[in-house]
Amino acid sequence: MDTTCGSFLLKSQKAIKDAIAIQKLQDAGAIILAKANLTELGHKMGIKLTSGWSAVGGQTQSPYVRGGVRSDAMPLGHSTPAGSSSGSAVAVAAGFCPVAIGTESDGSVMLPATRAGLYGFKPSRGKSDYTGVQPGGKPYDTIGVMAKGCEDIASVMNVLMDDQLQVRLGESWKGVKIGLFDLREWWLPEPYLESEPKSYQEQVLTAVEEAMRTIEEKGAQVFRSTPLISMPEFEKDIPDTQGLHDVMTHPFRKAFEEFLSLFPDCPATTLKEVIKGS
């Protein structure tokens, strides 16, 4: 299959070998149906790019949003499917496949999963082999899974992580420790995201608390209000979205140019050439 990363310059490009994650899934019997659209280059083309849009695939549309993405939508506006693993989430939500793979540096699995009404799982960095996957930044990258049920996610992550998550779903969670930070201190304000309706925030808080109680009933320890840097402290150091974008994308150039070496017929060898060609 072509690996375009959403860029015109990479259209029709095929890697010299599959990513290790794909190899492992195929060895386990998985059938790879297709590659999904994404926010171009994993949302590394600029902070104003609408989530789910790429030069190759166009605008990814949520199956739950009548009329599609609004013309005046913010990059992560409510009418967008979020991203950057937009197409993966939409494909599952629309019933094209039972489970989809996405990658995440800072929300690229969890945000689309939330918008599509799915379960999303982002493992800790390093839990699955990232070799051969388009990078966002090595300090942050990880492979995640989206599905309509936890069993499907667990069965895929069993393969990717060489773990037994599926077996442990029905067992006691005794000995498991879970840290939970206060979500009310971390509602991202504009210009990061459109402000959420209060009713939505209350729904989220209720759902999280119910989940934590269920987990505690299974024997796990839940540590509520785990201390993190506060939003005001965060904004003091990084006062706008451009600053956050600069921090997150700093390692991208070097990692992406290493990734381009997997495509011997690619006319570009540098990130600058890819962007110019798009």
Side-chain angles (χ1 to χ4, degrees), residues 65-85:
V65 177
R66 183 176 297 177
V69 176
R70 288 168 32 186
S71 60
D72 61 346
M74 296 174 63
L76 281 170
H78 295 318
S79 64
T80 75
S84 62
S85 301

Side-chain angles (χ1 to χ4, degrees), residues 137-156:
K138 288 185 178 180
Y140 320 109
D141 290 339
T142 188
I143 297 172
V145 183
M146 291 171 272
K148 292 183 178 180
C150 295
E151 289 284 351
D152 287 333
I153 286 180
S155 64
V156 172

Side-chain angles (χ1 to χ4, degrees), residues 52-222:
W53 186 90
S54 75
V56 172
Q59 180 61 58
T60 306
Q61 301 286 359
S62 168
Y64 298 126
V65 177
R66 183 176 297 177
V69 176
R70 288 168 32 186
S71 60
D72 61 346
M74 296 174 63
L76 281 170
H78 295 318
S79 64
T80 75
S84 62
S85 301
S86 317
S88 298
V90 167
V92 177
F96 296 143
C97 56
V99 63
I101 302 297
T103 61
E104 177 164 337
S105 299
D106 61 331
S108 291
V109 168
M110 305 312 295
L111 285 172
T114 299
R115 294 287 173 86
L118 305 175
Y119 288 95
F121 182 74
K122 175 195 174 183
S124 299
R125 182 183 171 278
K127 286 291 187 179
S128 54
D129 198 314
Y130 208 83
T131 304
V133 179
Q134 187 221 300
K138 288 185 178 180
Y140 320 109
D141 290 339
T142 188
I143 297 172
V145 183
M146 291 171 272
K148 292 183 178 180
C150 295
E151 289 284 351
D152 287 333
I153 286 180
S155 64
V156 172
M157 292 311 303
N158 281 348
V159 175
L160 295 181
M161 294 172 54
D162 297 320
D163 206 333
Q164 293 299 312
L165 294 179
Q166 197 168 22
V167 173
R168 286 190 276 156
L169 275 179
E171 296 181 349
S172 169
W173 287 33
K174 188 174 182 180
V176 175
K177 297 179 180 180
I178 296 176
L180 180 69
F181 61 87
D182 191 340
L183 296 176
R184 288 165 295 192
E185 293 185 6
W186 266 90
W187 293 118
L188 293 179
E190 295 184 25
Y192 298 100
L193 295 173
E194 288 183 40
S195 59
E196 304 284 4
K198 187 176 180 181
S199 59
Y200 169 80
Q201 296 180 2
E202 292 173 350
Q203 183 181 5
V204 170
L205 291 170
T206 299
V208 169
E209 183 54 37
E210 288 176 353
M212 291 303 105
R213 283 201 296 267
T214 300
I215 289 171
E216 287 177 320
E217 289 170 2
K218 287 182 171 289
Q221 282 184 284
V222 176

Side-chain angles (χ1 to χ4, degrees), residues 216-235:
E216 287 177 320
E217 289 170 2
K218 287 182 171 289
Q221 282 184 284
V222 176
F223 297 87
R224 290 169 170 77
S225 298
T226 300
L228 285 178
I229 182 175
S230 68
M231 193 64 193
E233 290 175 303
F234 175 81
E235 290 185 299

